[in-house]
C-alpha cells in the first residue's frame, strides 16, 4: 500500500513563471501592419499642397526624418482602421482596444531593449489590465464581436486563473494527489458498472427462459396464466440489447456465465 506521494509516482515540476507584461502572458501574437520609413506621417498623405511639392519637401515629411512617435501614430491609425465601425469612429470599444493594443506592443518592444525601465513596465502592466477589462466586458455582452476583434487584432484572451495566489509545491501536490485518487475511484466504478452489465445479461437471459417455462407449464395443466407473452417479449428485447453491447477484455471471465441457462429440473414451482 502506498504511504507517501513518492509511492504514487506523482511528479510535479514548477511551471515557468512569466511576467504579466510578457507577450505570451498578455496574449499578443503581433499585428500584421507594415510601417515603412518612406511612408508619410499621419494625415499628410491627403495633403494637396504636399502632392504638388518638390521631392525633397515630400521626403522631409516621411517617417525617416520624423520622430519615433510619428511611426507609432501611423501604426495606431492603421490598426484602428481594421476595427473601426465608420470613418469618424474614435470612441467605440473596438477602437479603444485597438489603440491600447498598438501601445502595448510598442511598449513590449521597447522593454525588450531596455529591461531596467521600471516606469514603462508599470504603465504597460496597467494598460494590459485595462484592455483585459474591456475584452471581458465585450466577451460578456457581445461574444461574436469579441471573437471578431480577437481575430482582427491577432490576440488571445487570457482570463484570470481559477485558483488565485502564488503557485506552491504543497498545494500543487495536494491537487495532483486528489486527481490521481479520483482517477482510481472512477476506474473502479467503471469496472463495477461493466460487471453489473454482464450480470444483467445473465439475469435477463435466465428470466426469458424461466418465463417461457412457467407459461408452458401453466398451459400444459390448464391453469390461469400468470405470465403473458408481452412480458416475455419485453425481457427478450432487453436481453438482446444487452448482448449487443461488447464485453470489455478485462471482464472476459464473465462471458461464460452469460451462456448459462436453467434446465427444467433446476426450477422448483
Amino acid at each position: 500500500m502506498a504511504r507517501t506521494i513518492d509511492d504514487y509516482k506523482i511528479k510535479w515540476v514548477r511551471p515557468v513563471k512569466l511576467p504579466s507584461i510578457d507577450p505570451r502572458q498578455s496574449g499578443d501574437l503581433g499585428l500584421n501592419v507594415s510601417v515603412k520609413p518612406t511612408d508619410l506621417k499621419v494625415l499628410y498623405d491627403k495633403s494637396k499642397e504636399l502632392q504638388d511639392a518638390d521631392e525633397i519637401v515630400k521626403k522631409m515629411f516621411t517617417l525617416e526624418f520624423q520622430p519615433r512617435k510619428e511611426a507609432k501614430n501611423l501604426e495606431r491609425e492603421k490598426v484602428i482602421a481594421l476595427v473601426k465601425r465608420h470613418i469618424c469612429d474614435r470612441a467605440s470599444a473596438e477602437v479603444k482596444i485597438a489603440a491600447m493594443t498598438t501601445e502595448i506592443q510598442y511598449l513590449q518592444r521597447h522593454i525588450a531593449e531596455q529591461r531596467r525601465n521600471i516606469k514603462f513596465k508599470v504603465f504597460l502592466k496597467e494598460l494590459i489590465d485595462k484592455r483585459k477589462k474591456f475584452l471581458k466586458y465585450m466577451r460578456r455582452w457581445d461574444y461574436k464581436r469579441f471573437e471578431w476583434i480577437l481575430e482582427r487584432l491577432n490576440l488571445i484572451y487570457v482570463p484570470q486563473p481559477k485558483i488565485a495566489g502564488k503557485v506552491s509545491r504543497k498545494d500543487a501536490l495536494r491537487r495532483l494527489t486528489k486527481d490521481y485518487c479520483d482517477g482510481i475511484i472512477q476506474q473502479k466504478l467503471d469496472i463495477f458498472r461493466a460487471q453489473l452489465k454482464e450480470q444483467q445479461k445473465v439475469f435477463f437471459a435466465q428470466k426469458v427462459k424461466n418465463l417461457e417455462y412457467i407459461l408452458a407449464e401453466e398451459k400444459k395443466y390448464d391453469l390461469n396464466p400468470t405470465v403473458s407473452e408481452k412480458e416475455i417479449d419485453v425481457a427478450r428485447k432487453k436481453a438482446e440489447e444487452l448482448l449487443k453491447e461488447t464485453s470489455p477484455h478485462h471482464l472476459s471471465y464473465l462471458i461464460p456465465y452469460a451462456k448459462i441457462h436453467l434446465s427444467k429440473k433446476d426450477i422448483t414451482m
Side-chain angles (χ1 to χ4, degrees), residues 211-227 264 269:
L211 292 178
E212 289 177 348
Y213 173 75
I214 292 172
L215 183 60
E217 291 295 318
E218 288 177 346
K219 289 181 179 180
K220 180 180 179 181
Y221 295 103
D222 295 331
L223 299 175
N224 293 328
T226 59
V227 179
K264 293 183 179 181
M269 297 298 294

Side-chain angles (χ1 to χ4, degrees), residues 196-210 235 238-239 242 257-258 260:
L196 291 178
K197 283 285 186 181
E198 294 295 328
Q199 292 177 9
Q200 283 183 342
K201 295 178 183 180
V202 177
F203 172 77
F204 280 101
Q206 292 176 352
K207 183 177 180 180
V208 171
K209 294 182 179 299
N210 292 344
K238 184 66 176 178
L242 292 172
Y257 291 95
I260 296 176

